[in-house]
Amino acid sequence: MIPRYTRPEMAAIWSPESRYRIWFEIEAHATDKLAELGVVPASAAKAVWKARDMEFDIARIDEIEREVKHDVIAFLTHLSELVGEEARFVHQGLTSSDVLDTCLAVQMTRSADLLLEGMDRVMAALKARAFEHKTTICIGRSHGIHAEPTTMGLKFARFHAEFARNRARLVSARAEIATCAISGAVGTFANVDPAVEAHVAKKLGLTVEPISTQVIPRDRHAAFFACLGLIASAIENLSVEVRHLQRSEVREAQEYFSPGQKGSSAMPHKRNPILTENLTGLARLVRSAVTPAMENVALWHERDISHSSVERGIGPDACVHLDFALHRTASMIEGLIVHADRCKENLDAFGGIHNSQRVLLALTQAGASREESYRLVQRNGMKTWDEGGRLIDHLKADTDVMALLGADGIAACFDDAWHLRHVDTIFARVFADA
Amino acid sequence: MIPRYTRPEMAAIWSPESRYRIWFEIEAHATDKLAELGVVPASAAKAVWKARDMEFDIARIDEIEREVKHDVIAFLTHLSELVGEEARFVHQGLTSSDVLDTCLAVQMTRSADLLLEGMDRVMAALKARAFEHKTTICIGRSHGIHAEPTTMGLKFARFHAEFARNRARLVSARAEIATCAISGAVGTFANVDPAVEAHVAKKLGLTVEPISTQVIPRDRHAAFFACLGLIASAIENLSVEVRHLQRSEVREAQEYFSPGQKGSSAMPHKRNPILTENLTGLARLVRSAVTPAMENVALWHERDISHSSVERGIGPDACVHLDFALHRTASMIEGLIVHADRCKENLDAFGGIHNSQRVLLALTQAGASREESYRLVQRNGMKTWDEGGRLIDHLKADTDVMALLGADGIAACFDDAWHLRHVDTIFARVFADA
Amino acid sequence: MIPRYTRPEMAAIWSPESRYRIWFEIEAHATDKLAELGVVPASAAKAVWKARDMEFDIARIDEIEREVKHDVIAFLTHLSELVGEEARFVHQGLTSSDVLDTCLAVQMTRSADLLLEGMDRVMAALKARAFEHKTTICIGRSHGIHAEPTTMGLKFARFHAEFARNRARLVSARAEIATCAISGAVGTFANVDPAVEAHVAKKLGLTVEPISTQVIPRDRHAAFFACLGLIASAIENLSVEVRHLQRSEVREAQEYFSPGQKGSSAMPHKRNPILTENLTGLARLVRSAVTPAMENVALWHERDISHSSVERGIGPDACVHLDFALHRTASMIEGLIVHADRCKENLDAFGGIHNSQRVLLALTQAGASREESYRLVQRNGMKTWDEGGRLIDHLKADTDVMALLGADGIAACFDDAWHLRHVDTIFARVFADA
Amino acid sequence: MIPRYTRPEMAAIWSPESRYRIWFEIEAHATDKLAELGVVPASAAKAVWKARDMEFDIARIDEIEREVKHDVIAFLTHLSELVGEEARFVHQGLTSSDVLDTCLAVQMTRSADLLLEGMDRVMAALKARAFEHKTTICIGRSHGIHAEPTTMGLKFARFHAEFARNRARLVSARAEIATCAISGAVGTFANVDPAVEAHVAKKLGLTVEPISTQVIPRDRHAAFFACLGLIASAIENLSVEVRHLQRSEVREAQEYFSPGQKGSSAMPHKRNPILTENLTGLARLVRSAVTPAMENVALWHERDISHSSVERGIGPDACVHLDFALHRTASMIEGLIVHADRCKENLDAFGGIHNSQRVLLALTQAGASREESYRLVQRNGMKTWDEGGRLIDHLKADTDVMALLGADGIAACFDDAWHLRHVDTIFARVFADA
């Protein structure tokens, strides 16, 4: 968890305080049910809840853990110190993993909720900018080479669509991870009734894990981290686009540059796309959680604890860094300066050769073979590219082309509005439910 | 695509023949719609379909491609050779990626269908074996150390549950990848009406891509490969379990060993779990597609072609190897020999210390503190472990324990059936919809 | 192994023919030594060598393998068919892995040799182009934003340096993988004298593996694939640079475009950097071998066979694709068209603000504080950026700057040659041993 | 950086205090040389060194950074606050990356030194235990199945050899990362003489980077992290072995279990291999740094800053966690309890079938064909496996075998000492230079 890429809201979910508080809730709800089932005295259940308003002393728990080398026992011992003798009934029939894994499920679902908020903010920003620049015409590029016109709004819209898909994936991944397992040492409920699991699950907003071993199966977690990897990749995708648009030769967009900000100690004129470069790196970092999460799936028999150290790392780190990245992405989009004038300049920079495809089709329609049409367009396109001038003029000076299309036929191919006539259709598709 | 790990059904989907056949269908359906829209002559659409019953000459297409260095142009040229002059109207307004990406979507959905069949076979095998061994008692292990009893059926059941989750994920991933994009050079439908896309999509069983650039966005593919990575990890999980059960000291299960098979050139007595070891490796191989698929998401502007070489590798390879692995997994499960007698021997190997948790709870119930109970159980457990004998006897010889539980109270803790009393509940959860 | 990204030289190393030929050599040399040691009859050793000039019937070996389900036994059986009865002494005391692992070592070292050739070709091309464009001035960019001048030669030189480092790494990795293990079922030489291993190693140009189990330890292989991942990343690095230089707005370099080549079916004017985009993807593909190779390191006890299926994939694939990528990289560099005129145009595009750092230093030298200097440069730099014109003129119009530097002092900061004065020093460092 | 997996020595290297101290040294040494070159006043160089004994106020630097949004400028501003006016000459002609990247090189080399210490401790422990158990005979296993005898000492020895290889790799990786770049905004030394770089490099124990851009090329860092990934994999390899040896059915080794330690809240008798399970997870975590480090290699043009956020994560995390893992590994090996009696019991558990390979060879030597020998051994091996009894007895009861070998010939195959006769040879190879 890198401090500068951490928002306190997400860090709080993964703090020791939160963890112990969730452990407490699991134990307390479980004890309630155990009391109801007559396994422990009702007075015990009541006693436990006294700790609801007490603060856990983390240093003290750490101290006990150093001695007993077991975190849950350390917590339970401290709980006894707080609520007294009756605490001996707490955790009756449970195994440590019942508490640890259910707690992790709670932390991951809470993290998912926070991430969904971040995605909503990103999507709101993308939608607003998409509509704002729906018809801001610019050149579309394949292979980094000018192709045909598109609009800045379509760029924002496509990232919106990608985030919307990822949002749906995260909603699924959240549902998958939101399970509660209180099933004992090997998942057989040998010493704890399934009713306890059902009760705790309900109280914590989880579903019961249909079949656990000592642990909740790790494919659920792996699916969650794979989803985070996809969201991170979407952030990279968007970031790479902005970085391209901001480069000196393009300058179609620019990250907001605050008055007090110094771009570089050496080159004061520079306005660097540092937010999106940073996001590109954060995407790599978040994505690096995917493989170890998948390596965690194959545990030995009814569990080994190899997954635990991995999750102590990637659990908070991937959630915290992605959360930060989403909000940085949102701010970046919200503040992004779009230079419509530069978009137009770039579009017109090569004599209108981006219309060559339309000329090609017109020639084919006019009866030329595909190969002939291709040759005619290519020779004028190359001329425009190599010698300058405007394609429309070169075509008009080409007697073969003139014979097929005539001056009006040629001119009809050079109308930029033509390229925008289906933008509404696309927007309707993308923002139908948004 | 490693020949020995390839089933012909899956290889066929990724063969040049299939690819050209799908290209043909895309082009032919598109031409139909273009004719209906009056963009090309109706005769052209009719002419194209003549190739439906012709065979494409792959060597000839390769030859043309070597000259023009463009695969789709090579195919279209060959199509002209087959159906004649009218083929010049084919591909009107389309861009190569319209064909390539829609074809890939078809190949991936067909692959998904085949993988789902494989998963169904695995799940059917797991379900059958789960019910067969529902009450075959065996020791459950955490950390590789004996814990409490479970059943072989529960093991099969939990892998079934994992495969069922992965099946649902694959159904989602299939739906996500099943889109058709025929939207032109930068996705604006500049030279092709959206109706063409809608028509082709319908004919091929796809949905329209709401917003494409030159290509279908690569997060869809990345989500697909991430799902394959999860399925591969499930295969690894199951395989690692079998490998453990088959090791010489455990021998609770064994891969089917055909009469003609030689386990080793040097040690004729050996019956090695080579199928599951092989599957463990195949899982790593399939999983290795996940990261490059995610790296493919961030393409430059409206597309760069870096994703293409990656997909030529991981597309067929991950699908083919996973398909093979699923069927090998199914065969392995179907043929797996379960040694119930060895399960029982192992369960009883350590003097019944797997019941110590029950004794612990009984002591607590009888009024001992958690710490006291723990100490009492631990000293007798350690004695059993270190000196041998049966825990029940050591407990009866321990006056402190006797004082608390009495002989009957102790005996009540040593009943294996106790551990199986919730198996039906768990099976009902797992196989509710299966 | 994707056919279009395969050179026959590398494919040959990984063909069944090569593999059986290497197996034969291992067995034949081993039998020689066994005969010398008196373990097998001298006539047996002599008999085996008869197969030296015979062709192995691969279909026949496959047929036997389908029956016995063991590749080495199948080969040995076929060898008996070829050389007769005496072949029963072949493989005496060896275990299959002795043959398989030593063979893999031979294949990997031969692959390394071929890769080194490819790297040498890349480095020769880079060196030639570096010297050709040693003083071709162009703008250097950080964050995609113009910074200070550099030269095209320095770009080639830095990639040369990176390839030189990777070459040294590959030489090390080759040495690490070039070991021979003939040590029996668990590496104890129980049934084969260490002298056999030493003899075979010498004959095959390998060193003896100091300690093997049943297999050569897999960290050696993992180190090899990690090295291939680094080389792939170097190719990506170089490719990304070329793709940037070729984009429409930059056009400082361009991949060679052969006369017959069609860039796109739709946009005949386009000259796309498809080689480097392709190489970017191939880099991802090669790099995907690194993680599974590392996952292969932790085998169970004296070996499990999980590594094998992984290596059947990544062994040939990573070598073949990297080999192809190296030669494509070399061709691309050799043919790359550098537009020195465009370099100069881009350098001068922003009114000379790339000299702002020099002005900043001059101001500091003239007695202004760092902050004051920064402010003075920033306000004139921003003006040049926002309003156009040349920085030198804005500075001369700024009375504060004039007061500190005077017209001559300002002019002295605008000399591009200044930036090239250490190029020789850098070239001397890079090409010292090259 | 997970606190519980952090040793203070390694954490200190990556603390803000260390970073600023290294920055200071770089700036101060650079200013010395700049003064010597006459670029800045000698008094300035002298003034800067006043801060040598001052403490940097990290909170104050953070405060400045929040305003100027640039870490190096913030530091330089604070430095001015400490040493006064003359500090304006510091950083003359340098660019931020000169400081940042050289600092990172120092941190990584110091980390490497600490890791080498950890590796030495691991290797010392492995060597001691190897010699201690050089002839502690135990069964060797392939595929988890009993094969032939080996010794516990050979197990330790092979891990020693793997660590020794990794040690050599880390020494190389350390040398590769130990470079200093002070070459200005795009690496041309435009505003700083190469002599400054040479001076700082020498003072900090680094070599000069032959060719930098704005940054030190990232293949150096990637090679470093790949090396850490290999070391992590070695730890996993060793850990998986121990986990296997400790499982209940094997019990040949056991992690040291301190008197106060509780293995499980529920099962007091359990002694779980939690250290090695934990190490297995830490290995996955460290290894996850490899891919992002390789993705960092391809920066845009003369640098983009995407690598930075990645390195803020993986830099400290991979070093800290690996450092911790090495010391945990060393402690684990040092304290590992080896049960030689259990080794012997397991070796003898299957009636001596581990000698079947020797019988096979003896039969071949006695004139039986390979196939015949195989059949004879297999039928007796299978009998031993299926029906129990001792292989030697079954063989003696087999008239075909008796006809070929006689009772003495059979008995000669059942001598465990035979398997240990080359242990000295292997030890001599492994510990030659250790």
Side-chain angles (χ1 to χ4, degrees), chain C residues 312-327:
Chain C
R312 281 183 200 272
I314 65 172
D317 283 7
C319 289
V320 160
H321 297 152
L322 182 57
D323 174 66
F324 177 87
L326 284 168
H327 285 275

Side-chain angles (χ1 to χ4, degrees), chain C residues 39 90 141 143 155 165 169 176 190-191 197 209 219 241 301-303 365 370 418 429, chain D residues 39 90 141 143 155 165 169 176 190-191 197 209 219 241 301-303 357 365 370 418 429:
Chain C
V39 180
V90 173
R141 297 166 182 92
H143 314 280
K155 287 177 186 276
R165 285 190 294 273
R169 290 172 192 139
E176 286 214 65
N191 299 306
E197 182 182 65
E209 178 62 51
D219 62 298
E241 179 70 28
H301 293 306
E302 278 64 41
R303 89 82 59 96
Q365 294 278 353
R370 170 179 299 275
W418 172 265
R429 289 175 173 188
Chain D
V39 179
V90 173
R141 299 166 181 93
H143 313 279
K155 288 178 186 274
R165 287 191 293 274
R169 289 171 192 139
E176 285 215 65
N191 299 304
E197 183 182 64
E209 177 63 52
D219 62 296
E241 180 69 27
H301 293 305
E302 277 65 40
R303 91 79 61 94
Q357 164 80 353
Q365 294 279 354
R370 168 180 301 277
W418 172 265
R429 289 174 173 188

Side-chain angles (χ1 to χ4, degrees), chain A residues 78-97:
Chain A
H78 180 58
L79 190 63
S80 299
E81 292 173 348
L82 291 182
V83 307
E85 179 67 354
E86 299 252 44
R88 76 168 183 279
F89 295 105
V90 172
H91 197 69
Q92 188 90 290
L94 275 64
T95 199
S96 305
S97 284

Side-chain angles (χ1 to χ4, degrees), chain D residues 205-269:
Chain D
L206 305 172
T207 58
V208 297
E209 177 63 52
I211 180 165
S212 43
T213 52
Q214 186 173 93
V215 289
I216 292 174
R218 253 50 197 176
D219 62 296
R220 295 188 183 275
H221 307 71
F224 183 85
F225 289 106
C227 182
L228 302 199
L230 290 168
I231 301 169
S233 299
I235 291 175
E236 184 188 18
N237 193 12
L238 170 53
S239 296
V240 167
E241 180 69 27
V242 171
R243 290 166 60 192
H244 275 302
L245 296 179
Q246 185 161 350
R247 51 175 300 151
S248 296
E249 297 86 1
V250 179
R251 300 194 316 283
E252 297 181 2
Q254 183 192 304
E255 293 177 9
Y256 181 72
F257 194 84
S258 71
Q261 191 176 348
K262 297 192 181 179
S264 149
S265 63
M267 289 155 287
H269 65 281

Side-chain angles (χ1 to χ4, degrees), chain B residues 294-309:
Chain B
M294 290 192 180
E295 291 173 338
N296 269 356
V297 171
L299 300 179
W300 289 17
H301 293 305
E302 277 65 40
R303 90 79 60 94
D304 71 67
I305 205 169
S306 62
H307 63 90
S308 170
S309 47

Side-chain angles (χ1 to χ4, degrees), chain B residues 324-343:
Chain B
F324 177 86
L326 284 167
H327 285 274
R328 174 158 282 188
T329 300
S331 305
M332 184 274 295
I333 293 295
E334 287 157 7
L336 191 75
I337 301 162
V338 174
H339 297 299
D341 53 339
R342 282 289 307 157
C343 293

Side-chain angles (χ1 to χ4, degrees), chain C residues 85-224:
Chain C
E85 177 69 353
E86 300 251 44
R88 76 170 182 276
F89 296 105
V90 173
H91 197 70
Q92 189 90 291
L94 275 63
T95 199
S96 305
S97 285
D98 291 334
V99 181
L100 293 170
D101 261 22
T102 300
C103 173
L104 182 59
V106 172
Q107 289 176 301
M108 288 175 80
T109 49
R110 288 185 190 170
S111 295
D113 290 335
L114 214 51
L115 293 172
L116 287 167
E117 278 179 36
M119 296 186 81
D120 287 340
R121 192 181 152 209
V122 170
M123 287 168 68
L126 286 167
K127 186 178 179 182
R129 305 308 304 265
F131 277 93
E132 179 187 345
H133 289 288
K134 191 171 158 187
T135 57
T136 303
I137 198 165
C138 62
I139 188 68
R141 297 166 182 92
S142 56
H143 314 280
I145 305 295
H146 286 201
E148 294 189 343
T150 184
T151 77
M152 292 301 273
L154 285 173
K155 287 177 186 276
F156 290 115
R158 87 170 133 102
F159 293 118
H160 185 280
E162 183 173 349
F163 272 93
R165 285 190 294 273
N166 279 318
R167 193 190 195 289
R169 290 172 192 139
L170 184 53
V171 168
S172 288
R174 184 203 182 283
E176 286 214 65
I177 204 65
T179 71
C180 170
I182 297 185
S183 57
V186 296
T188 53
F189 302 98
N191 299 306
V192 62
D193 194 279
V196 176
E197 182 182 65
H199 177 75
V200 175
K202 193 178 165 193
K203 287 292 179 183
L204 294 176
L206 306 171
T207 58
V208 298
E209 178 62 51
I211 180 167
S212 42
T213 52
Q214 186 173 93
V215 289
I216 292 175
R218 255 48 199 177
D219 62 298
R220 295 187 183 275
H221 306 72
F224 183 84

